[in-house]
Amino acid sequence: MSSELIFGDLSVSIFGESHGAGIGTVINGLPSGIELDMEKILDFMARRAPKKDGMSTHRSEKDMPEILSGYYNGKTTGTPLSAVIHNTDTRSQDYGNISTAARPGHADYTGYRRYNGANDPRGGGHFSGRLTAPLVFAGAVCAQVLEKHNIYSCAHILSIDGVYDDRFNELDIPFELTEQIKKREMPLIDETRAEEMKARVRAASEQLDSVGGIIECGIVGVSAGIGSPIFDGIENRISQAVFGIPAVKAIAFGKGFEFAGMRGSQANDPMFMNGETVRTRTNNNGGILGGISDGMPIIFTAAIKPTPSIAQPQETVDFIRNKDTTLTVKGRHDACIVPRAVPVVEAAANIAILSFLV
Amino acid sequence: MSSELIFGDLSVSIFGESHGAGIGTVINGLPSGIELDMEKILDFMARRAPKKDGMSTHRSEKDMPEILSGYYNGKTTGTPLSAVIHNTDTRSQDYGNISTAARPGHADYTGYRRYNGANDPRGGGHFSGRLTAPLVFAGAVCAQVLEKHNIYSCAHILSIDGVYDDRFNELDIPFELTEQIKKREMPLIDETRAEEMKARVRAASEQLDSVGGIIECGIVGVSAGIGSPIFDGIENRISQAVFGIPAVKAIAFGKGFEFAGMRGSQANDPMFMNGETVRTRTNNNGGILGGISDGMPIIFTAAIKPTPSIAQPQETVDFIRNKDTTLTVKGRHDACIVPRAVPVVEAAANIAILSFLV
Amino acid sequence: MSSELIFGDLSVSIFGESHGAGIGTVINGLPSGIELDMEKILDFMARRAPKKDGMSTHRSEKDMPEILSGYYNGKTTGTPLSAVIHNTDTRSQDYGNISTAARPGHADYTGYRRYNGANDPRGGGHFSGRLTAPLVFAGAVCAQVLEKHNIYSCAHILSIDGVYDDRFNELDIPFELTEQIKKREMPLIDETRAEEMKARVRAASEQLDSVGGIIECGIVGVSAGIGSPIFDGIENRISQAVFGIPAVKAIAFGKGFEFAGMRGSQANDPMFMNGETVRTRTNNNGGILGGISDGMPIIFTAAIKPTPSIAQPQETVDFIRNKDTTLTVKGRHDACIVPRAVPVVEAAANIAILSFLV
Amino acid sequence: MSSELIFGDLSVSIFGESHGAGIGTVINGLPSGIELDMEKILDFMARRAPKKDGMSTHRSEKDMPEILSGYYNGKTTGTPLSAVIHNTDTRSQDYGNISTAARPGHADYTGYRRYNGANDPRGGGHFSGRLTAPLVFAGAVCAQVLEKHNIYSCAHILSIDGVYDDRFNELDIPFELTEQIKKREMPLIDETRAEEMKARVRAASEQLDSVGGIIECGIVGVSAGIGSPIFDGIENRISQAVFGIPAVKAIAFGKGFEFAGMRGSQANDPMFMNGETVRTRTNNNGGILGGISDGMPIIFTAAIKPTPSIAQPQETVDFIRNKDTTLTVKGRHDACIVPRAVPVVEAAANIAILSFLV
């Protein structure tokens, strides 16, 4: 279903347009009676909010979700949990010229063709990155349910414009580390990389350009035996969810593309008993074999393309008048969305993982 | 659904175990009245058959599908199309020791945990690469329906063990080229790379090891406006299908992970009118924006990990007795499954693309 | 999915609780560019509003839907259409005692068990008849899309407490008649039955009791060949949707249970050519054969049980304290919900039929 | 999905045509490790086999299912369970004239329109009652899983041509009774009605006509709290499954259409504590409130229309030549399919109920 994940008994539906009345989500299939800490949900959502210091749009988003249903006496009811974020600060006039000239790298033209011109083009409409706000809400809710299963997850910036953070220790991602990362302005394992990353973003911004990056996500505590073979395993569900994030163009589990240069003797993760528990010496497979968890941390990376909105003139087409034109995208745009995409990737992973446990 | 793709009105269900009575597929939602050229389907399936020259298992698979339903007077009926491949040559005794010691890199342990030990472990059971035979059958059927939409697709080996083929011309993949690739023993754009690739595979094999690689797939002729935003776009569906192939651990659309090092000004594909048609100067986005086709070739790559079955002793666990052990995998195994996985990737892509057109 | 219809490419999700912040719907898969006449939608919803003259609750519901997304410049965008109805007039105190004593005939006890006591019990919570307001909204939207296919539908009261209206002419349901029925205070073919029906309702009400009835629904203009065999035909989808309405306990297509006493020679609908069109002499099958439309009006009936909320003392259990008790339901309740359920049945049918056409 | 039930994590797909190579089913989502008693499955299927004594076709169906997958060492594996029934005795020549003249009451014309003439028309093709054989297989498998939950079900003939059996005691359906019914040639509570029913069928047959009837089904042992509100409750799922049976035209839960003439004070089932268990004094609601089980027997009835195949001349159309014609259906046909439909209804119910428990 176009804007909905349907994973067995769990579903997450996203609706809304960037400059419409509101955006939101309906989550179906949550277990009942789970206490939700609203502060934690807002903290999670705040991680997606615009960053200062050149990393941000200057749009002041409130993105305060109003829960309409499925939540009673501080707990999930088990019936559909819905939340709406009302759009308030939407300076539509900035977007005056976008409805006729396609912004390269955006879905203006493809959306126009898909919907025969009837879709709301303002600010990207339903394709806007703003739609990740309800997705983050849903993922934040799922995080709290995962907590009951002693599962936690964390994403961080693995790279921005070629500047790399450390990777997670594939064998062990301590809970404390993940908590620290989530509190950092730049969600990094090694905070010392923040300055260079920011400098790169500023440089791109000054050149009216933008940069991309990679996000790594780890999920810890999933016991062995969760998932399913062939078309509905952990990789299938996580990738279906993560490609729901605008700007994600690739995903890799464990060693991912590095596998292509490895020998089987290196790639296979040797197994051993750690007391009563099966563990592996390496975790090249990212905690997943045959679509099913092996008990090791589940680890994947996702590539984020550079923000398509750049303030340079670009060659494009006016897809209504069917003629060539040049476009300089106006409005307020992040020169790098990687930091803000970090909690979104984590949210998508939370939904996918929880879906196997409800 | 675990072994089933459900894409709107099209579904493909895969069933069977490597050493059971039979494997097969049920395809639901095909248009009626489509002539199927059975020779072409068998040709497609033959591309997945074992290769000679060190690239192969020595198992003689017939893999002759028997169509049970959905096909009448040479055409699809529109009702469920089902096909069964009866298993014949299955030397189970080779697999005598696998039911208690987990083969590293395989789903023996995870499958055991998932199904509490009740799954059929012989030859990997439902997790076996053999299950890709019905998947290829389904993809071959879909290919013939796509033909009616003037869509064709082709996958090729992009790399084996670090030896690279050319990439497709992202702006133009000629039909003739794709036909040639499909006929080649090694599905390559530049056939001259075949020898070195084979040498690498032989070398690994002699060292009782295996190698991985990358497969590139292009789909040509998809007009602009096919797909859907957020969770059910082309990337979502292709990735859900492609991760259904054992050994795939990563997928990338267009520039994929290279986007992480690009600037927006490089990454955005400039658009122009080519007569009445919108085209792009580059195709970094692999023909997809916002989950929807832009009319350019759809291009993605998938990483294939090295065959986990290697004839070296490996550290592992006996997951029934819960103790450490050492395992040397016996039986007949490809030292490189990349060539045989090529038509499987193409088949998965065909299913995903067709699902948007039925 | 619990509160969601997923019919191929169309889905309708319902969320909310009777006394929560709001109720609403998300409709996915609507075609784009369909003009929606909001007045007509409100008219449709008004048909569900409380009736005067003893037929009504005295609760003044506004039930004004706020469209949050999927609607732009007066037309559907093709992206998810969502609407919220904010709850305003909710005198929760009337329901003070319902959380511990199960109202017989209601889902208090079953909901409690299903959700382990975490569901919102106020006014029936998610099980409330109030949730049919967003369902009617969705059905009213679908009606306008069906109009583009020259399809119209109409439900009417077939009986209340044994007083019967005429049945539709199974061969021909004129559009004008359906328009008239929709405007009537009591949606009847033969208005002269209204008084007796109302008298029955009043009598029951005075005796602190309630009555049930039957609703008949016809859908006209569905051309032959719409639907699917076995599990996803017109009967399957309509029944799945219609049983989503609280109080519906039975559904019958065409002659329904009367078939049980018929001979094949009577039951089979003789076919003949009416110009270029195939027609049938009778329409016992209600326009459906093998799950697929035959071009005749689609006709079904649904049984509505008497309102479970009655002001008499009833034997029941306190399901928290696990003891017997007696309950007299307070609050404002319709002695007969049949008239208000009429547009709800029609709405459910609209969704089901449209799902075959998107 | 057209010939597939998708109920949360459980799915049942049916494929095949009456006179094609084979028919079968794929069941996805069964729990692993469930021992299947194949004798019991064959016994269940035998209940659907043709009856002697005028109740039968004279076609000798073997209908022996070959399990291809999902079953190992006498137990379910948890991976897709597939079974094929090869078609053997198919005298196609009897059906020589059906491809151009629509058999009234059958799906010949609607199927033709649905599939633009490409569907297999022989013997009804995919619409044939023969497709209920794999459905019964699936239901027989589900029955054995339900046994582990201490749930059993039983259907019986409630009426044939106006001759009625007793109804189940709505408060208590003893296991022993259900076992007896299943062994009877005519599945009745009161065997003394068998003769009159058979006489009616013989009479109709002699008059080249056919009769319909009603089937009642009870499911016992479902604890309170199973199901879901609105669109995915017990009624929704059972009805979606049961309307998958050709000839079913109506379904009623509990009192069904009788509710229309009841008062709320009669219709509401009074509740009381029976020790620790909540019970109801009556079971008008058929064990379901708000789509969720209340712990009482789940009871529904389904109407079966008279066999459409009758040996009388019937007015119909040649839908290829678009002209009126007269048809006398030849071949071997039951004058009453109610007895054979009994296990099919039970099978459909088993699938629906099990889907809430996996």
Side-chain angles (χ1 to χ4, degrees), chain C residues 2 110 114 207 209 227 229 235-236 240 249 253 263 265 268 273 281 285 289 305 308 314-315 324, chain D residues 2 110 114 207 209 227 229 235-236 240 249 253 263 265 268 273 281 285 289 305 308 314-315 324:
Chain C
S2 93
T110 59
R114 171 67 173 82
Q207 294 162 34
D209 216 332
E235 288 131 333
N236 309 261
Q240 192 191 344
K249 294 297 284 188
F253 293 86
R263 286 285 177 95
S265 56
N268 290 345
M273 296 304 304
R281 299 272 176 216
N285 283 285
L289 287 168
K305 70 178 184 179
Q314 296 182 84
E315 179 185 8
D324 294 334
Chain D
S2 91
T110 58
R114 171 69 173 79
Q207 294 161 34
D209 216 331
E235 287 130 333
N236 308 262
Q240 192 191 343
K249 293 297 285 188
F253 294 87
R263 287 284 179 94
S265 56
N268 290 343
M273 296 303 304
R281 299 274 177 213
N285 283 285
L289 287 169
K305 70 178 183 180
Q314 296 182 83
E315 179 185 7
D324 293 335

Side-chain angles (χ1 to χ4, degrees), chain B residues 331-345:
Chain B
R332 301 149 296 169
H333 304 286
D334 296 328
C336 179
I337 59 165
V338 178
R340 297 185 63 189
V342 162
V344 190
V345 168

Side-chain angles (χ1 to χ4, degrees), chain C residues 62-80:
Chain C
K62 294 292 181 346
D63 287 353
M64 200 65 179
E66 181 195 9
I67 297 185
L68 293 179
S69 67
Y71 183 65
Y72 178 63
N73 281 344
K75 294 179 182 170
T76 59
T77 59
T79 53

Side-chain angles (χ1 to χ4, degrees), chain D residues 50-266:
Chain D
K51 311 289 174 191
K52 298 190 203 97
D53 207 2
M55 307 298 291
S56 72
T57 73
H58 303 104
R59 179 171 167 184
S60 66
E61 291 187 75
K62 294 289 180 349
D63 288 353
M64 201 64 182
E66 182 196 7
I67 296 185
L68 294 179
S69 67
Y71 182 66
Y72 179 63
N73 281 342
K75 293 179 182 170
T76 59
T77 59
T79 54
L81 181 71
S82 61
V84 170
I85 299 167
H86 293 276
N87 288 333
T88 49
D89 171 26
T90 54
R91 283 193 256 157
S92 296
Q93 61 274 24
D94 284 353
Y95 296 90
N97 67 339
I98 63 158
S99 54
T100 55
R103 293 171 301 164
H106 277 291
D108 298 342
Y109 169 62
T110 58
Y112 178 84
R113 290 294 298 267
R114 171 69 173 79
Y115 298 112
N116 300 307
N119 59 311
D120 179 350
R122 295 170 301 162
H126 189 58
F127 296 90
S128 166
R130 198 163 149 56
L131 272 287
T132 58
L135 174 54
V136 166
F137 172 84
V141 168
C142 291
Q144 299 201 22
V145 187
L146 288 172
E147 264 183 44
K148 310 295 176 189
H149 294 272
N150 296 312
I151 294 170
Y152 58 93
S153 66
C154 181
H156 71 105
I157 302 168
L158 181 58
S159 80
I160 285 181
D161 196 30
V163 182
Y164 272 78
D165 189 16
D166 297 336
R167 286 203 61 156
F168 279 131
N169 175 345
E170 67 192 23
L171 300 177
D172 181 26
I173 305 175
F175 178 71
E176 296 67 29
L177 172 64
T178 65
E179 289 292 289
Q180 288 163 17
I181 291 171
K182 291 175 187 182
K183 285 181 189 131
R184 289 173 182 160
E185 186 213 352
M186 290 286 274
L188 290 164
I189 296 174
D190 179 355
E191 274 191 292
T192 65
R193 321 287 169 93
E195 279 318 306
E196 193 181 349
M197 287 182 180
K198 287 183 186 178
R200 296 285 186 104
V201 175
R202 271 193 305 270
S205 183
E206 283 159 15
Q207 294 161 34
L208 309 180
D209 216 331
S210 64
V211 295
I214 301 174
I215 291 168
E216 182 182 48
C217 184
I219 305 112
V220 182
V222 180
S223 55
I226 306 301
S228 272
I230 310 197
F231 293 126
D232 205 21
I234 295 177
E235 287 130 333
N236 308 262
R237 288 195 181 180
I238 287 182
S239 61
Q240 192 191 343
V242 168
F243 279 117
I245 306 168
V248 170
K249 293 297 285 188
I251 193 164
F253 294 87
K255 285 292 174 286
F257 280 97
E258 292 174 48
F259 272 123
M262 294 170 81
R263 287 284 179 94
S265 56
Q266 302 165 293

Side-chain angles (χ1 to χ4, degrees), chain A residues 1-5 12 14 102-107 109-111 113-115 126-127 131 135 159-162 200 203-204 207 209-214 223-233 235-237 239-241 243-245 248-254 256-257 259-273 275-276 278-279 281 284-286 288-294 301-310 312 314-319 322-325, chain B residues 1-5 12 14 102-107 109-111 113-115 126-127 131 135 159-162 200 203-204 207 209-214 223-233 235-237 239-241 243-245 248-254 256-257 259-273 275-276 278-279 281 284-286 288-294 301-310 312 314-319 322-325:
Chain A
M1 197 46 62
S2 92
S3 304
E4 179 167 9
L5 291 170
V12 173
I14 302 286
R103 293 170 302 164
H106 277 291
Y109 169 62
T110 58
R113 290 295 296 267
R114 171 68 173 79
Y115 298 111
H126 189 57
F127 296 91
L131 272 287
L135 174 54
S159 80
I160 285 180
D161 196 30
R200 296 288 186 101
Q207 294 161 36
D209 217 331
S210 64
V211 295
I214 301 174
S223 55
I226 306 301
S228 272
I230 310 197
F231 295 126
D232 205 20
E235 288 131 331
N236 308 262
R237 287 195 181 179
S239 61
Q240 192 191 343
F243 280 116
I245 306 168
V248 170
K249 293 298 283 189
I251 192 165
F253 293 86
F257 280 97
F259 273 123
M262 294 171 82
R263 288 285 179 93
S265 56
Q266 302 167 293
N268 289 345
D269 298 306
M271 306 174 87
F272 67 99
M273 297 303 305
E276 295 301 296
V278 173
R279 300 269 301 167
R281 299 273 176 215
N284 295 319
N285 283 285
I288 310 165
L289 287 168
I292 299 171
S293 60
D294 67 3
T301 53
I304 309 289
K305 71 177 182 179
T307 320
S309 295
I310 53 175
Q312 299 180 29
Q314 296 182 83
E315 180 185 6
T316 191
V317 297
D318 181 319
F319 52 84
N322 274 332
K323 57 171 195 150
D324 293 334
T325 185
Chain B
M1 197 47 62
S2 93
S3 303
E4 180 168 8
L5 291 171
V12 173
I14 302 288
R103 293 170 302 164
H106 277 292
Y109 169 62
T110 59
R113 290 295 296 268
R114 171 67 172 81
Y115 298 110
H126 189 58
F127 296 90
L131 272 287
L135 174 54
S159 80
I160 286 180
D161 197 30
R200 296 285 187 103
Q207 293 162 35
D209 216 332
S210 63
V211 295
I214 300 173
S223 56
I226 305 301
S228 272
I230 309 197
F231 293 126
D232 205 20
E235 289 131 331
N236 310 261
R237 287 194 181 180
S239 62
Q240 192 191 344
F243 280 117
I245 306 168
V248 170
K249 293 298 283 189
I251 192 165
F253 293 86
F257 280 98
F259 273 122
M262 293 170 83
R263 286 285 177 94
S265 55
Q266 303 166 291
N268 290 345
D269 298 306
M271 306 173 87
F272 67 100
M273 296 303 304
E276 295 301 296
V278 173
R279 301 269 300 167
R281 299 270 176 217
N284 295 319
N285 283 285
I288 311 165
L289 288 169
I292 297 171
S293 59
D294 66 4
T301 53
I304 308 290
K305 70 177 184 179
T307 320
S309 294
I310 54 175
Q312 298 180 28
Q314 295 182 83
E315 179 186 7
T316 190
V317 297
D318 181 319
F319 53 83
N322 274 332
K323 58 171 193 147
D324 293 334
T325 186

Side-chain angles (χ1 to χ4, degrees), chain C residues 124-156:
Chain C
H126 188 58
F127 295 90
S128 167
R130 197 163 149 57
L131 272 288
T132 58
L135 174 54
V136 166
F137 172 84
V141 168
C142 291
Q144 300 202 20
V145 187
L146 288 172
E147 264 183 45
K148 310 295 177 189
H149 295 272
N150 296 312
I151 294 170
Y152 57 93
S153 66
C154 181
H156 70 105

Side-chain angles (χ1 to χ4, degrees), chain A residues 129-201:
Chain A
R130 195 159 154 59
L131 272 287
T132 59
L135 174 54
V136 166
F137 172 84
V141 168
C142 291
Q144 299 201 22
V145 186
L146 289 172
E147 263 183 44
K148 310 294 176 189
H149 295 272
N150 296 311
I151 294 171
Y152 58 93
S153 66
C154 180
H156 70 105
I157 302 168
L158 181 59
S159 80
I160 285 180
D161 196 30
V163 182
Y164 272 79
D165 189 16
D166 298 335
R167 286 202 62 154
F168 279 130
N169 175 347
E170 67 193 21
L171 300 176
D172 181 27
I173 305 174
F175 178 70
E176 296 68 29
L177 172 64
T178 65
E179 289 292 291
Q180 289 162 16
I181 290 170
K182 291 176 187 181
K183 285 180 190 133
R184 290 175 181 158
E185 186 213 353
M186 290 285 274
L188 290 164
I189 296 174
D190 180 355
E191 274 192 291
T192 66
R193 320 289 169 92
E195 278 317 307
E196 193 181 350
M197 287 181 180
K198 288 183 186 178
R200 296 288 186 101
V201 175

Side-chain angles (χ1 to χ4, degrees), chain C residues 23-254:
Chain C
I23 59 180
T25 184
V26 181
I27 315 171
N28 228 317
L30 287 173
S32 62
I34 305 288
E35 264 185 75
L36 296 183
D37 181 331
M38 292 307 297
E39 280 309 305
K40 275 188 169 176
I41 290 175
L42 295 176
D43 284 353
F44 201 133
M45 296 185 73
R47 294 164 56 204
R48 185 196 152 274
K51 312 288 175 192
K52 297 186 205 102
D53 206 4
M55 306 298 292
S56 73
T57 73
H58 303 103
R59 178 172 169 183
S60 65
E61 289 188 75
K62 294 292 181 346
D63 287 353
M64 200 65 179
E66 181 195 9
I67 297 185
L68 293 179
S69 67
Y71 183 65
Y72 178 63
N73 281 344
K75 294 179 182 170
T76 59
T77 59
T79 53
L81 180 72
S82 61
V84 170
I85 299 167
H86 293 275
N87 289 332
T88 48
D89 172 24
T90 54
R91 282 194 255 157
S92 296
Q93 61 275 22
D94 283 351
Y95 296 91
N97 67 338
I98 64 159
S99 54
T100 55
R103 293 171 302 164
H106 277 291
D108 298 343
Y109 169 62
T110 59
Y112 178 84
R113 290 294 296 267
R114 171 67 173 82
Y115 298 111
N116 299 307
N119 59 311
D120 179 350
R122 296 170 300 163
H126 188 58
F127 295 90
S128 167
R130 197 163 149 57
L131 272 288
T132 58
L135 174 54
V136 166
F137 172 84
V141 168
C142 291
Q144 300 202 20
V145 187
L146 288 172
E147 264 183 45
K148 310 295 177 189
H149 295 272
N150 296 312
I151 294 170
Y152 57 93
S153 66
C154 181
H156 70 105
I157 303 168
L158 180 59
S159 80
I160 285 180
D161 197 31
V163 182
Y164 272 78
D165 189 14
D166 297 335
R167 285 203 62 157
F168 278 130
N169 175 347
E170 67 194 20
L171 301 177
D172 181 27
I173 305 174
F175 178 70
E176 295 68 30
L177 172 65
T178 65
E179 288 293 290
Q180 288 161 18
I181 291 172
K182 292 177 187 181
K183 284 179 191 133
R184 289 173 181 160
E185 186 212 351
M186 290 287 273
L188 290 165
I189 296 174
D190 178 355
E191 275 191 292
T192 65
R193 322 287 170 92
E195 279 317 306
E196 191 179 352
M197 288 182 180
K198 286 183 186 177
R200 297 286 187 103
V201 175
R202 273 193 305 270
S205 184
E206 282 158 17
Q207 294 162 34
L208 308 180
D209 216 332
S210 63
V211 294
I214 301 174
I215 291 168
E216 183 182 47
C217 183
I219 305 112
V220 183
V222 180
S223 55
I226 305 301
S228 272
I230 309 198
F231 294 126
D232 205 20
I234 296 177
E235 288 131 333
N236 309 261
R237 287 195 182 180
I238 286 182
S239 62
Q240 192 191 344
V242 167
F243 280 117
I245 305 169
V248 170
K249 294 297 284 188
I251 192 165
F253 293 86

